[in-house]
Amino acid sequence: MAAKSWKLIDVEARAYIENLAITPDEVGGPAEGYSVTKQRLRGGLSDGVDLVRVDNGTLAFSVLPTRGMGIWKAFLGETEIGWRSPVRGPVHPSLVPLMEPGGLGWLDGFDELLCRCGLESNGAPDFGENGQLIYPLHGRIANRPAHKVEVSVDGDAGEIAVSGEVDEARLFFNKLRLFSEVRTKVGQPGLTVLDTVTNISAQECELELLYHVNFGNPLLTPGAQVVLPVSKMAPRDPVAVENLPQWDQYGPETPGSAEAVFFFELAADADGRTQALLKNAAGDMGVTLKLDRNQLPYFIVWKNRQAAADGYVTGLEPAINFPNPKSFEKAKGRVAVLAPGESRTFEIAMDIHTGGASVAAAEAEVQTLQEGTEPMVLQQPDPEWSAG
Amino acid sequence: MAAKSWKLIDVEARAYIENLAITPDEVGGPAEGYSVTKQRLRGGLSDGVDLVRVDNGTLAFSVLPTRGMGIWKAFLGETEIGWRSPVRGPVHPSLVPLMEPGGLGWLDGFDELLCRCGLESNGAPDFGENGQLIYPLHGRIANRPAHKVEVSVDGDAGEIAVSGEVDEARLFFNKLRLFSEVRTKVGQPGLTVLDTVTNISAQECELELLYHVNFGNPLLTPGAQVVLPVSKMAPRDPVAVENLPQWDQYGPETPGSAEAVFFFELAADADGRTQALLKNAAGDMGVTLKLDRNQLPYFIVWKNRQAAADGYVTGLEPAINFPNPKSFEKAKGRVAVLAPGESRTFEIAMDIHTGGASVAAAEAEVQTLQEGTEPMVLQQPDPEWSAG
Amino acid sequence: MAAKSWKLIDVEARAYIENLAITPDEVGGPAEGYSVTKQRLRGGLSDGVDLVRVDNGTLAFSVLPTRGMGIWKAFLGETEIGWRSPVRGPVHPSLVPLMEPGGLGWLDGFDELLCRCGLESNGAPDFGENGQLIYPLHGRIANRPAHKVEVSVDGDAGEIAVSGEVDEARLFFNKLRLFSEVRTKVGQPGLTVLDTVTNISAQECELELLYHVNFGNPLLTPGAQVVLPVSKMAPRDPVAVENLPQWDQYGPETPGSAEAVFFFELAADADGRTQALLKNAAGDMGVTLKLDRNQLPYFIVWKNRQAAADGYVTGLEPAINFPNPKSFEKAKGRVAVLAPGESRTFEIAMDIHTGGASVAAAEAEVQTLQEGTEPMVLQQPDPEWSAG
């Protein structure tokens, strides 16, 4: 069997590979044209960041063990899938002031294609009495380094996987472990993220989780459109109310405009499978996110309509809760509670479409999911969904 | 003379040894069977942590220059002396949000066998008006890297020492320097920590200091017992009041139970020498801490009775003050004030016992210290010792 | 043409040179006797700090890419130009708790000869409602690592330059880029800092900027004097009022004394050129700062009269605003607003004088600038200049 695996990082075993380049020759089997490299970045904000780059021959993407196994950027040939944050990363967590009193320090590290928000909390900052920060914006998991990382390649099946284990644990508090595996097939324009979150405590632990999946230029330019099978939707706040008539359209760059955020429940098939499409202005490029509504019941569309220099970007965000302050989500019953030892699994597939036919087919799949479901569109924020 | 020393770190002199392995051959002299290694850890939360491991042939232990010269773990053969924190470290200080607004970020780095709490403050978080954090939980010294580290080995006397210098200094504020030396003898199941704290300022500086010495499985299992020569003791709070009848006993793992903390003055001999024993359930393994009550007048027992996964652990904690918010300790006169240039020295020896006879002998030594002193046991917290 | 350049750091291009030593032989041309070295420091608070040392044969100085292109120390032969902070750095930004709730964490990294304060804010901490920190002491730029760093040497002209690019940018907030070049001429006892700050956003961005240029022993001992061409001056606060009669004199080390701070507008020539001199007690050593009042309209003298161990130091500080809380500066109209894409340039030259003649000549230059301008000396703080 032509399959091989490499332990890149294992802190407990004192194993660490600084640089590695894997080629088909080392693995054997019929699969060809791919590569996996591991680097440690140096200098600037990226100093000390470990980066695993998988190039399956068609799609290349980088996984960041140092940033909670986030996916930094992907490339289809020369075409970048991801966005240009005003923060040029990847940023080492030690330079992200996550717990600054205002709770927005997370933004200093935010430039990934796929960034997890969680695990103990994932929404807007939450403050206690006297304005003291309790939960910072979007939580801690994206700034926790993985302590165990592996790459495996199956040269027969043409499968590549990067896996990592990340703890978000504190004595006296929540103790959760994320095991993440990013899988891809040689030659395929897609990848799958398969996450398992486990309560490693002997007590109940709380979980919030949201996948902040972000796209900018060239996929996202004015005229791009998001296509969703909608079961229910509501604007988050007055800004979104104003943008509601164009909620699925991406307009011109508008310096200084506020973000518009829409909350959804998606329509799904009988098994709960559903998917969302983002297509470009010309309709000849797109990306589909596939997910299981039983795992991720909510979906958020984040439209940041600022100028390119300031981060013209949209986020398609499957989640188990809405990104409100945790106290609000808890009051609304959307914070998960994991029993000791309990695990939850989350799977998200991302497929890149090139060519009008592929985009049209993806759009048709969304329409099929929509059939039979009359979208409930709220014209005002839902007080059950949006914090005041 | 067969004695040799290695300068591992000297920032001012630009000296830094990344990896080192010292063997008896290099040193000469009759001492044999020991080794000293220095590593720089990579990956995960430990990335960039320097670790000096001393194996004296009987006892092996690791000193952490990067974490204020704390002692991470010790091993007697395969037997781990230390504890299994839910935080798997050692953790680099840059990933410990010490100053997060709630003041509990210190917990993110806490997994040592011996961790100093201090130097400017060492207790529970202390807040000013409006809830603004002034002193974080347990102070800063455990997350300050040493700027000068040496190892010396005397092959004739069979003595090994690891020393380091750590500054806790800020313009306009306190300026204290810790010089710590950890000593051991080849073949002996013990070590000695010899610390000197010096005021390097031309002004008075305040000092709080507590040695958080922590033991878990296998030494600490239900049925283990702490044996102290008690002069005076008081429960810290209502939880401790409830646990008072069993204060010296370690009960079953109790998920979700609150920590029980007891405050002590120990009985001592005429010179102030005293010691504390922790023995396992079978009575055939134990550890003794020896100290000088003139140096460290107070003693704290911390019983964290949670499940093993959440950190079933006890802390035996010699201190110059109680770990209350600093403002309380100051009001009670327990914050030391060092004159310009003044030094204070603190010495703690840790001996590991194996076999019932050794444990029994250690217990007898405690009993001897107890003789002639009637323990004063308060049934309620002492308002002079416990913050409200 | 005998000119050569080295790209030391370029994060986006994945270029990083850990160690480098440049000699005249490699460059060619008539210039001789100089060297440029690049190191990565290890151990203690300095672990991971990149340091570029330029020795032009007469003056040696170190630039810190990791600390926002600050200048750490300079040496004229064995004579140190700079100061001895109680913090022994250079300190890696990841160990500086800039955003601690009290807002003073910046002090933990402060030991440079030239340290920029800014860019979004540069003064005393500014707090919002409930005492929540908004802007920390002296801003963020000194603790942001450069992502692009180059050295160039012209062996014909005998010119050496170290340049770097540092971003202070956050999604939804200010986005400024500092490009800094430090230039020196072979054999000359001086250097020039040439900075350009650019708004890289499509929206307006705010700028505050102050150059904290600091001198201690041996230049600064009791009897040293600052010589300024004064147009207007005011004591900052009651401490400065008390020190006003001796404002330009440096008195004995006074443990525990509070800092005395004076605010100025300097007199200048018709082009706005002006300069400030600090001369030692004997009058045979000094340093001149030359600047353009059109670029840097304000000037601050910081006298920290504590003991040497606590940082006996003075700061000569050209600035575009006073180091008050930003809300005060904004109310007074001293916060600059840069249009999208707009740049501002700041140039400061530092010349070292040795020998009485050179010092006297420098003093005469200041007198010339003073001629024709009657200094307006306020006896009390100016409510337009000092926050209450």
Side-chain angles (χ1 to χ4, degrees):
Chain A
M1 203 184 73
K4 225 171 151 178
S5 69
W6 290 259
K7 186 186 284 187
L8 299 181
I9 299 173
D10 186 340
V11 176
E12 193 143 355
R14 303 271 161 87
Y16 179 83
I17 295 176
E18 183 157 336
N19 294 297
L20 181 71
I22 301 170
T23 60
D25 282 355
E26 293 174 70
V27 178
E32 282 186 359
Y34 66 87
S35 66
V36 183
T37 56
K38 193 272 173 186
Q39 288 180 273
R40 182 183 176 95
L41 306 183
R42 309 298 288 272
L45 299 168
S46 299
D47 200 89
V49 170
D50 287 312
L51 185 148
V52 181
R53 186 175 192 272
V54 176
D55 182 346
N56 74 15
T58 296
L59 183 74
F61 58 90
S62 299
V63 176
L64 301 174
T66 309
R67 290 188 56 79
M69 298 298 292
I71 301 179
W72 186 42
K73 290 183 182 299
F75 285 86
L76 200 72
E78 296 294 304
T79 304
E80 183 173 339
I81 313 295
W83 66 300
R84 288 257 149 181
S85 170
V87 175
R88 295 299 167 80
V91 182
H92 194 278
S94 68
L95 295 172
V96 176
L98 209 64
M99 298 304 293
E100 68 175 40
L104 300 180
W106 181 90
L107 293 169
D108 279 0
F110 178 44
D111 86 327
E112 293 102 332
L113 165 62
L114 183 151
C115 179
R116 286 172 198 83
C117 301
L119 299 174
E120 186 181 10
S121 66
N122 76 5
D126 209 349
F127 301 95
E129 293 178 23
N130 288 329
Q132 194 181 85
L133 180 68
I134 301 177
Y135 300 114
L137 177 68
H138 289 335
R140 303 198 294 153
I141 193 65
N143 287 283
R144 304 292 290 173
H147 57 267
K148 204 183 273 190
V149 180
E150 286 193 16
V151 171
S152 62
V153 182
D154 183 326
D156 295 323
E159 292 174 347
I160 305 170
V162 182
S163 68
E165 208 170 272
V166 192
D167 282 1
E168 191 188 283
R170 179 181 279 191
L171 187 71
F172 304 135
F173 291 90
N174 239 32
K175 293 163 197 79
L176 294 171
R177 174 166 293 166
L178 166 68
F179 176 80
S180 171
E181 191 164 67
V182 186
R183 298 175 181 169
T184 193
K185 283 213 162 201
V186 172
Q188 297 298 308
L191 59 83
T192 298
V193 175
L194 187 57
D195 286 356
T196 303
V197 176
T198 303
N199 177 355
I200 56 174
S201 161
Q203 297 178 248
E204 287 183 344
C205 286
E206 295 181 346
L207 170 68
E208 294 195 319
L209 184 60
L210 177 151
Y211 292 84
H212 217 302
V213 191
N214 311 294
F215 304 95
N217 195 324
L219 187 55
L220 194 81
T221 60
Q225 189 186 349
V226 62
V227 187
L228 303 179
V230 177
S231 170
K232 174 182 167 184
M233 76 173 282
R236 186 188 64 174
D237 57 17
V239 173
V241 169
E242 197 181 341
N243 189 247
L244 189 56
Q246 304 85 37
W247 75 267
D248 61 348
Q249 306 292 325
Y250 294 88
E253 295 180 21
T254 313
S257 67
E259 57 183 11
V261 180
F262 300 91
F263 290 168
F264 297 86
E265 283 172 346
L266 299 187
D269 70 14
D271 295 327
R273 305 295 312 169
T274 185
Q275 60 194 68
L277 167 70
L278 178 71
K279 62 175 188 175
N280 72 351
D284 59 3
M285 184 164 64
V287 59
T288 286
L289 295 189
K290 294 180 176 171
L291 57 107
D292 182 338
R293 202 181 60 179
N294 297 315
Q295 295 171 353
L296 295 158
Y298 303 110
F299 195 87
I300 296 96
V301 172
W302 170 57
K303 295 167 69 178
N304 193 42
R305 304 161 293 165
Q306 302 191 48
D310 296 307
Y312 184 82
V313 58
T314 193
L316 306 189
E317 311 171 3
I320 68 168
N321 65 293
F322 291 116
N324 295 299
K326 188 177 176 183
S327 52
F328 180 84
E329 290 301 288
K330 207 164 171 176
K332 298 304 177 187
R334 285 188 294 265
V335 175
V337 177
L338 272 61
E342 185 182 347
S343 287
R344 291 216 185 174
T345 296
F346 306 96
E347 186 171 347
I348 298 175
M350 185 188 304
D351 292 327
I352 317 296
H353 312 290
T354 48
S358 172
V359 172
E363 192 159 1
E365 287 171 24
V366 174
Q367 305 306 352
T368 302
L369 287 164
Q370 185 70 71
E371 281 166 20
T373 300
E374 183 62 32
M376 182 198 307
V377 180
L378 278 63
Q379 299 298 315
Q380 293 294 327
D382 183 338
E384 292 298 306
W385 282 10
S386 290
Chain B
M1 201 184 75
K4 226 172 150 177
S5 70
W6 291 258
K7 187 185 282 187
L8 300 181
I9 300 174
D10 187 340
V11 175
E12 193 142 354
R14 302 270 163 88
Y16 179 83
I17 295 176
E18 182 157 337
N19 293 297
L20 182 72
I22 302 170
T23 60
D25 282 355
E26 292 174 72
V27 179
E32 281 187 357
Y34 67 86
S35 66
V36 182
T37 56
K38 193 273 174 186
Q39 289 180 272
R40 182 182 177 96
L41 306 184
R42 309 298 289 272
L45 299 168
S46 298
D47 200 88
V49 170
D50 287 313
L51 185 148
V52 181
R53 187 173 191 272
V54 176
D55 183 346
N56 73 16
T58 297
L59 183 74
F61 59 90
S62 300
V63 177
L64 301 174
T66 310
R67 289 188 56 78
M69 298 298 291
I71 302 179
W72 186 42
K73 291 182 180 299
F75 285 86
L76 199 74
E78 298 294 303
T79 304
E80 183 174 338
I81 313 296
W83 66 300
R84 288 257 146 182
S85 170
V87 176
R88 295 298 167 80
V91 182
H92 195 278
S94 67
L95 295 172
V96 177
L98 209 64
M99 298 305 293
E100 69 175 39
L104 300 180
W106 180 91
L107 293 168
D108 279 0
F110 179 43
D111 86 327
E112 294 103 331
L113 165 61
L114 183 150
C115 179
R116 287 172 198 81
C117 300
L119 299 174
E120 186 180 11
S121 66
N122 76 8
D126 208 349
F127 301 94
E129 292 178 24
N130 288 330
Q132 194 180 85
L133 180 69
I134 301 176
Y135 299 114
L137 177 67
H138 290 334
R140 302 199 294 153
I141 193 65
N143 287 284
R144 303 293 290 171
H147 57 268
K148 205 182 271 191
V149 180
E150 286 193 17
V151 171
S152 62
V153 183
D154 183 327
D156 296 323
E159 291 173 349
I160 305 169
V162 183
S163 69
E165 210 170 271
V166 191
D167 283 1
E168 191 189 282
R170 180 182 280 192
L171 187 71
F172 304 133
F173 291 90
N174 239 32
K175 293 164 197 78
L176 294 171
R177 174 166 292 166
L178 166 69
F179 177 80
S180 171
E181 190 164 70
V182 186
R183 298 176 181 169
T184 193
K185 285 214 160 199
V186 172
Q188 296 299 309
L191 60 83
T192 297
V193 175
L194 187 58
D195 285 355
T196 302
V197 176
T198 303
N199 177 355
I200 56 173
S201 163
Q203 297 178 247
E204 287 184 345
C205 287
E206 295 181 345
L207 170 67
E208 293 195 319
L209 185 59
L210 177 151
Y211 291 85
H212 217 302
V213 191
N214 311 296
F215 304 95
N217 194 327
L219 187 54
L220 194 80
T221 59
Q225 190 186 349
V226 63
V227 187
L228 303 179
V230 177
S231 170
K232 175 183 166 182
M233 75 172 284
R236 185 187 66 174
D237 58 16
V239 172
V241 169
E242 195 181 342
N243 189 247
L244 189 56
Q246 304 86 39
W247 75 267
D248 62 347
Q249 306 292 326
Y250 294 89
E253 294 179 22
T254 313
S257 67
E259 57 182 11
V261 179
F262 300 92
F263 289 167
F264 297 86
E265 284 173 346
L266 300 187
D269 69 15
D271 295 328
R273 304 295 312 168
T274 186
Q275 59 194 68
L277 167 70
L278 178 70
K279 62 176 189 175
N280 72 350
D284 59 4
M285 184 164 66
V287 59
T288 286
L289 295 189
K290 294 179 176 171
L291 57 107
D292 181 337
R293 203 182 59 179
N294 298 315
Q295 296 172 351
L296 295 157
Y298 303 110
F299 196 88
I300 296 97
V301 172
W302 171 56
K303 297 166 70 178
N304 193 42
R305 303 161 295 166
Q306 301 191 48
D310 296 307
Y312 184 83
V313 59
T314 193
L316 307 188
E317 309 170 5
I320 69 168
N321 65 292
F322 292 115
N324 294 300
K326 189 178 177 184
S327 52
F328 180 84
E329 290 300 289
K330 207 164 174 177
K332 298 303 177 187
R334 284 186 295 265
V335 174
V337 177
L338 272 61
E342 185 183 345
S343 287
R344 291 216 184 175
T345 297
F346 306 95
E347 186 172 347
I348 297 174
M350 186 189 303
D351 293 327
I352 316 297
H353 312 290
T354 47
S358 172
V359 172
E363 191 159 2
E365 287 171 24
V366 174
Q367 305 306 350
T368 301
L369 287 164
Q370 185 70 71
E371 280 166 21
T373 299
E374 183 62 31
M376 181 199 308
V377 181
L378 278 63
Q379 299 300 312
Q380 293 294 327
D382 182 337
E384 290 299 307
W385 283 10
S386 291
Chain C
M1 202 183 72
K4 225 172 151 179
S5 70
W6 291 259
K7 187 184 282 186
L8 300 181
I9 299 173
D10 186 340
V11 175
E12 193 142 354
R14 303 270 163 85
Y16 179 83
I17 295 176
E18 181 156 338
N19 294 297
L20 181 71
I22 301 171
T23 61
D25 281 355
E26 292 174 70
V27 178
E32 281 186 357
Y34 66 86
S35 65
V36 183
T37 55
K38 193 271 172 184
Q39 289 181 272
R40 183 184 176 95
L41 306 183
R42 310 298 289 271
L45 298 168
S46 299
D47 200 89
V49 170
D50 287 312
L51 185 148
V52 182
R53 187 174 191 273
V54 175
D55 183 345
N56 73 15
T58 296
L59 184 73
F61 59 89
S62 300
V63 176
L64 300 174
T66 310
R67 289 188 56 77
M69 298 298 291
I71 302 179
W72 186 42
K73 289 181 182 300
F75 285 86
L76 200 73
E78 297 294 305
T79 303
E80 182 172 340
I81 313 295
W83 66 301
R84 287 256 147 183
S85 170
V87 175
R88 296 298 168 81
V91 183
H92 194 278
S94 67
L95 295 173
V96 176
L98 209 65
M99 297 306 293
E100 69 175 40
L104 299 179
W106 180 91
L107 293 169
D108 279 1
F110 179 43
D111 86 327
E112 293 103 332
L113 166 60
L114 183 150
C115 179
R116 285 172 199 83
C117 301
L119 300 174
E120 187 180 10
S121 66
N122 76 7
D126 209 349
F127 301 94
E129 293 179 24
N130 289 329
Q132 194 181 84
L133 180 69
I134 300 176
Y135 299 114
L137 177 68
H138 289 335
R140 301 198 295 153
I141 192 65
N143 287 283
R144 303 293 291 172
H147 57 268
K148 203 182 276 191
V149 180
E150 285 193 16
V151 172
S152 61
V153 183
D154 183 326
D156 295 323
E159 292 173 348
I160 305 169
V162 182
S163 68
E165 208 171 271
V166 192
D167 282 0
E168 192 189 281
R170 179 182 280 191
L171 186 71
F172 304 135
F173 292 90
N174 240 32
K175 292 163 198 78
L176 294 171
R177 174 166 294 167
L178 166 69
F179 176 80
S180 171
E181 189 164 69
V182 186
R183 298 175 182 169
T184 194
K185 284 213 160 201
V186 172
Q188 296 300 308
L191 59 84
T192 298
V193 175
L194 187 57
D195 287 355
T196 303
V197 176
T198 303
N199 177 355
I200 55 173
S201 162
Q203 297 178 248
E204 287 184 344
C205 286
E206 296 181 344
L207 169 68
E208 293 195 319
L209 183 60
L210 177 151
Y211 292 84
H212 218 301
V213 191
N214 312 295
F215 303 96
N217 196 324
L219 187 55
L220 194 81
T221 60
Q225 190 185 348
V226 64
V227 187
L228 303 179
V230 176
S231 170
K232 174 181 168 184
M233 74 172 284
R236 185 187 65 175
D237 56 17
V239 172
V241 170
E242 195 181 343
N243 189 246
L244 189 56
Q246 304 87 38
W247 75 267
D248 62 347
Q249 306 292 325
Y250 294 87
E253 295 179 19
T254 313
S257 67
E259 57 182 11
V261 180
F262 301 92
F263 289 168
F264 297 86
E265 283 172 347
L266 300 186
D269 69 15
D271 296 328
R273 304 297 312 170
T274 185
Q275 58 193 70
L277 167 70
L278 178 71
K279 63 175 188 174
N280 72 352
D284 59 2
M285 184 163 66
V287 60
T288 286
L289 295 188
K290 294 181 177 170
L291 56 107
D292 182 337
R293 202 182 58 179
N294 297 316
Q295 295 171 352
L296 296 158
Y298 303 110
F299 196 87
I300 296 97
V301 173
W302 171 57
K303 296 166 68 178
N304 193 41
R305 304 162 294 167
Q306 303 191 46
D310 296 307
Y312 184 82
V313 60
T314 192
L316 306 189
E317 310 171 5
I320 69 168
N321 65 294
F322 292 115
N324 295 299
K326 188 178 177 184
S327 52
F328 181 83
E329 290 301 288
K330 207 165 172 176
K332 298 305 176 188
R334 285 187 296 265
V335 175
V337 176
L338 272 61
E342 184 182 347
S343 286
R344 292 217 184 173
T345 295
F346 307 95
E347 185 172 347
I348 297 175
M350 186 188 304
D351 293 328
I352 316 296
H353 312 290
T354 49
S358 172
V359 171
E363 192 159 3
E365 287 171 24
V366 174
Q367 305 305 351
T368 302
L369 287 164
Q370 184 72 71
E371 280 164 21
T373 300
E374 183 63 31
M376 181 198 309
V377 180
L378 278 63
Q379 299 300 312
Q380 293 295 327
D382 183 337
E384 291 300 306
W385 283 10
S386 291

